[in-house]
Amino acid sequence: MTDLDGLYRHAHGTRVVVIGGGIGGLVAAREFAKVGMVVTVLEAGDRLGGAIRGGEVAGLELDLGAESFATRGGHVRALVDELGLGDAVVEPDRAGAWVAGLPGGRAEPLPKGGVLGIPANPFAEDVRRVIGWGGAWRAYLDRLRPPLTIGHEHSLGRLVESRLGSAVLDRLVAPVTTGVYSARPHDIDVDAAAPGLNAALTRAGSLTGAVAELTAARQGKAPGSAVLGLAGGMGRLVAALESELASAGVEIRTGTPVASLERAAGGWLVGAARDGEPEGAGLTPPPAEGVEPSDLDGERSLFADVVLVATEEAAARRLLAPHIEGLAAEAPLPGPAVDIVTLVLEAPELDAAPRGTGVLTVPGSSRAKALTHVTAKWAWVRERAAGRHVVRVSFGTQDEAPATSRLDRDEVAELALAEAAGLLGVPLRRRQLLGARLERFAQSQPASRVGHRDETERTRALLASTPGIGAVGAWLAGTGLAQVVPDAIAEADRVRRAALFG
Ligand SMILES: Cc1cc2nc3c(=O)[nH]c(=O)nc-3n(C[C@H](O)[C@H](O)[C@H](O)COP(=O)(O)OP(=O)(O)OC[C@H]3O[C@@H](n4cnc5c(N)ncnc54)[C@H](O)[C@@H]3O)c2cc1C
C-alpha cells in the first residue's frame, strides 16, 4: 500500500460534522468532501443559506437577505464560476445611491469617488451640495493644518472629525458606516475598513490628500463594479452548493439545532436539541467507556472525528467555550439586530428611480437606516416585477434596536411604507402595497470594529491549539461573502491538514 492509499483511506475514514448551514458552513463542507471525508451538515433552520435567504413576496421570488457579493479578492466570483453559475452573474445599475436626512429634510446623490464617504475635494459640486459651504470650508482646513507626519489614528470617526469637521462626519461618513456596517464611524478601525489610508496619510500629509491618492490609484485599474449579483437571486448559490454537496455524498440535516459538543474517545459527540428544548439545554452525555463511538442513538447525537462550527457568534461561543480555555462563552459585544422589510408596490411614480438605487440616511434622521430600490438596482428583478416596484427598507444598528422589533405585521408594513415614501420622496399609499415581508437577522460585529482584529487573532490562535476543531463565519472573518468564503476555505484547509497529517 502506498502512502497515497493510506492517505485516501484516512480521508475516507474521517467523519466531519459541520454545525451551521450558512455560506461559511457549506463552503467548508465542500472542502472536506473534496478529499473524500465523510461529511454531515447540521442546520438549525428548515433551510440552508443563513443570511442568504430567498422567499416570495406578492408572488415574486426575491432575495430577502444578502443580495450581492463584493468583487474584492475574486474569491466569491471563483466559487460562482466553479459551481457553473458564471452566466448568471449580473452588475447592479450604476445610478448610485443617495443620502437622506440632510438639513431641511433634503436628500442628495451620494458623491461619487471618495473612501467610506470621505471626499478628496470638499469643494466638488456633489460634495458641497451635501455638506454646504460651511462644511466645505471646515473640511478644507485639513489642507492648511500642520501636515500629518504619521497616520496612526485607529478610530475612523475621530480621524474624520478632527481633520474634516462634523458635516463630513455626520452627512457623508456616518450614513455609509451605518448603512454598510450598522456601526458608528467612531467604532470603525481605519486600517480594517480602509486599508492603505493611514499610509497614504503619512505620504500626503492631509486626509483629503490621502483619499485623492487612493482614488487615483483605483482609477488606474480596469473599471468594474465593486459588487455583483446573480440573476434569479443569491439563493442560487446556496442551491448549487447544496446540490454539489448532495452529489458528493454529504449528508445534510436541516431542522437540527445543535445544543452540545462533548469530547468523546478520539473525537467529538455532537448533540442535537430535543424537540421543544431550547438550543444550549440538555447536554448529551459522553459515551460510556468501552462503547464504540458511533451514531449513538441514531438521531440525537453524532460522533465526529472533526467538528467545524459555522454558526453565528453566540451559538459558536456557547459550543466552543467549554473546550477552549480562554475563549469567553459570551461575545464581548453582541452584534446588531437587523430587520429587513421587503415591499412590492404598484407605484409608477418610482419608474424614474427618484433616488437612484437606494438611500442611506444621516443617523437619527429617520427610523429606517437604509433603503434599496431593488427594481432600480437589478435588471433581473425589474423584468420579473413587470412594472411593479420592489423596495427593501432596513432597520436596526449597533446602537438602536430595529424600530420594527415590537410591531405586529400590519404595523411593520405601515412603518416600512411610510419610511419608503419619506426616503424616496414620493407619496405611497396603503392601497399601492401589494405585499410586505419582514425578515429578522442577527448580524456579526463588523471585522472593521476597533479592537476586533486583536480579538479575532486571539480566538484563532486558541482554536488552532485545540485538535479536531475549527470555526468559520462572519464573526471571525468579517461581514460579507467576500470575507466569509475565502476564510471558510482557508479554515477548512487548516483543519483538514491537521486531521490528515497530524
Ligand atoms: C440582511 C443582510 C443582508 C446582507 N447583505 C449582504 C450582501 O448583499 N452581500 C454580502 O456580501 N453580504 C451581505 N450580508 C452579510 C452576509 O450575508 C453574511 O456575512 C454571511 O452570509 C454570513 O455567513 P455565515 O455562514 O457566517 O453565517 P450565517 O449565514 O448566519 O449562517 C449561520 C447558520 O448557522 C445556523 N445555526 C445557528 N445556530 C445553530 C445551531 N446551534 N445548530 C445548527 N445550526 C445553527 C443558522 O441557522 C444559520 O443557517 C448581509 C447580511 C445580512 C444580515
Side-chain angles (χ1 to χ4, degrees):
M1 193 174 73
T2 64
D3 280 358
L4 273 180
D5 289 331
L7 201 57
Y8 176 84
R9 283 158 62 112
H10 190 175
H12 282 250
T14 303
R15 285 158 289 185
V16 184
V17 170
V18 175
I19 307 173
I23 190 76
L26 297 178
V27 165
R30 181 171 183 254
E31 292 303 307
F32 293 120
K34 274 182 187 171
V35 296
M37 290 174 162
V38 182
V39 187
T40 305
V41 177
L42 303 177
E43 162 57 43
D46 56 8
R47 36 146 220 99
L48 299 174
I52 304 179
R53 202 177 288 182
E56 200 198 290
V57 190
L60 289 176
E61 191 64 29
L62 299 166
D63 277 324
L64 305 175
E67 49 141 27
S68 64
F69 59 92
T71 51
R72 193 177 49 249
H75 305 284
V76 187
R77 178 62 205 249
L79 176 69
V80 163
D81 288 340
E82 283 170 31
L83 292 167
L85 292 172
D87 289 347
V89 171
V90 285
E91 282 195 20
D93 189 278
R94 290 186 178 241
W98 285 47
V99 56
L102 299 172
R106 278 180 310 119
E108 296 286 347
L110 207 57
K112 298 263 190 270
V115 171
L116 292 170
I118 310 168
N121 174 8
F123 289 111
E125 175 62 13
D126 55 355
V127 177
R128 207 216 13 96
R129 289 176 72 88
V130 175
I131 60 176
W133 283 109
W137 280 110
R138 169 62 189 85
Y140 181 63
L141 287 183
D142 176 49
R143 299 279 181 132
L144 307 179
R145 287 177 62 188
L148 281 163
T149 47
I150 302 178
H152 62 149
E153 179 57 80
H154 287 307
S155 160
L156 177 71
R158 274 205 299 276
L159 177 67
V160 171
E161 192 162 31
S162 66
R163 296 298 303 191
L164 306 177
S166 58
V168 172
L169 179 74
D170 297 340
R171 300 185 205 166
L172 286 171
V173 178
V176 172
T177 63
T178 309
V180 177
Y181 302 109
S182 304
R184 294 178 306 162
H186 281 82
D187 296 332
I188 296 292
D189 186 325
V190 178
D191 290 329
L197 186 62
N198 259 327
L201 263 172
T202 307
R203 286 192 297 271
S206 71
L207 181 52
T208 47
V211 168
E213 192 184 296
L214 289 187
T215 44
R218 219 191 278 160
Q219 275 156 14
K221 296 196 180 137
S225 181
V227 299
L228 296 170
L230 287 181
M234 290 302 293
R236 290 184 67 186
L237 181 62
V238 176
L241 273 168
E242 183 173 7
S243 110
E244 196 189 279
L245 291 177
S247 342
V250 173
E251 186 191 358
I252 296 172
R253 295 193 201 169
T254 51
T256 312
V258 170
S260 67
L261 192 57
E262 293 291 320
R263 274 265 178 225
W268 301 92
L269 262 188
V270 183
R274 288 164 201 285
D275 290 341
E277 189 178 63
E279 205 185 290
L283 293 185
T284 314
E289 217 162 308
V291 172
E292 172 67 9
S294 63
D295 193 352
L296 276 188
D297 59 11
E299 288 298 323
R300 293 289 161 213
S301 59
L302 200 62
F303 178 81
D305 300 289
V306 170
V307 167
L308 189 100
V309 178
T311 67
E312 299 91 346
E313 182 168 16
R317 283 181 178 272
R318 213 164 42 234
L319 292 168
L320 291 167
H323 308 288
I324 299 185
E325 209 182 316
L327 181 72
E330 301 263 323
L333 188 64
V338 173
D339 280 1
I340 306 278
V341 187
T342 302
L343 306 174
V344 176
L345 298 157
E346 192 69 67
E349 48 276 62
L350 294 180
D351 287 353
R355 298 282 153 90
T357 54
V359 186
L360 299 174
T361 62
V362 172
S365 63
S366 63
R367 299 181 74 192
K369 77 166 177 180
L371 171 148
T372 307
H373 187 171
V374 185
T375 29
K377 187 170 181 180
W378 301 108
W380 71 267
V381 184
R382 196 158 54 240
E383 277 158 31
R384 205 172 260 195
R388 293 165 291 172
H389 282 273
V390 180
V391 166
R392 276 158 59 123
V393 190
S394 24
F395 296 88
T397 67
Q398 183 63 54
D399 299 315
E400 208 174 306
T404 34
S405 55
R406 291 171 188 278
L407 304 182
D408 68 26
R409 270 177 60 159
D410 280 351
E411 290 167 337
V412 166
E414 288 282 353
L415 176 61
L417 188 65
E419 290 294 299
L423 294 177
L424 290 163
V426 164
L428 295 169
R429 316 254 170 260
R430 182 77 203 210
R431 61 180 158 71
Q432 293 177 276
L433 184 62
L434 306 175
R437 179 158 166 177
L438 164 71
E439 292 291 319
R440 303 218 128 109
F441 300 87
Q443 253 188 321
S444 294
Q445 280 295 335
S448 43
R449 184 172 56 76
V450 174
H452 187 279
R453 204 181 340 192
D454 293 346
E455 267 160 46
T456 307
E457 275 172 18
R458 219 181 120 256
T459 306
R460 288 192 193 277
L462 292 170
L463 277 163
S465 59
T466 313
I469 201 151
V472 301
W475 70 285
L476 289 165
T479 304
L481 307 186
Q483 263 85 355
V484 174
V485 167
D487 179 73
I489 294 172
E491 175 71 347
D493 184 49
R494 179 190 73 76
V495 173
R496 186 172 62 181
R497 279 166 189 271
L500 293 180
F501 304 111

